[in-house]
Amino acid sequence: MTHIAIDGPAASGKTSLGHALAQHFGFLFVETGKMYRAVALGLNRGLALDEVHITMNDAGRILLNNDDVSDILHTPILDQGSSRVATRPEVRQLLVRLQQEIAAGRAVVMEGRDIGTVVLPHADVKIFLQASPEERARRRASERHQAELDKTLREIITRDTRDQTRAIAPLNPASDATIIRTDNKSLAEVVSEVIALVEERLHTGDEAAK
Ligand code: C5P
């Protein structure tokens, strides 16, 4: 089963790339950041951690205690809340297990921070997206219609720093990841570059199996 891992810092384009790849290859798309966001939402609603149950349905929607919360997870409060809960070992253990169960026996495109390093260390293709904090802040602000670019930039830097310096599964490219800088590239360029890479790997795999 083909596994494609995409990692990178906040607003680096992982979701747009992942979505396009999953559509192109007909694979399930798994946005693991949404799972951390859903845990943060549960805690913000006053639940204890052991009362928070996260699942994903076949359409890739994220459920918090059976309630589809996929569309309410992208807020500045949950940006920061998710990166705070993501430092907790018990949260990571739970979600990594869920992500590995989802990927078992299925072709997936999975995006996050530790997919190539921890969740799917044997993924067929590992992509690590990079872009300057300024470029990422510009993209995020326009996506969310946020007027304050400086504030968006500060929030991205706070989250990057927390994600890169946490004790468990800090954000890092896997040693065998292909690093793609997206500052001066359009989404379409990045997508076709990665499709070519995946096709080459899959083809090489076929040849090796002969
Ligand atoms: O990708 P997204 O911005 O939705 O992720 C929200 C937060 O969840 C990140 O800032 C990070 O702290 C955490 N996360 C993680 N590991 C993942 C995916 C997300 O620690 N695989």
Side-chain angles (χ1 to χ4, degrees), residues 14 32-34 36-37 74 82-83 86 92 111-115 159 163 166:
K14 303 183 295 294
T32 63
K34 281 195 169 174
Y36 290 90
R37 289 170 181 275
H74 276 272
S82 56
S83 94
R92 300 207 71 83
E111 63 96 354
R113 302 291 187 293
D114 60 344
I115 310 306
R159 197 145 67 100
D163 290 347
R166 68 181 174 222

Side-chain angles (χ1 to χ4, degrees), residues 115-126:
I115 310 306
T117 50
V118 176
V119 181
L120 302 175
H122 304 297
D124 302 86
V125 180
K126 298 181 186 180

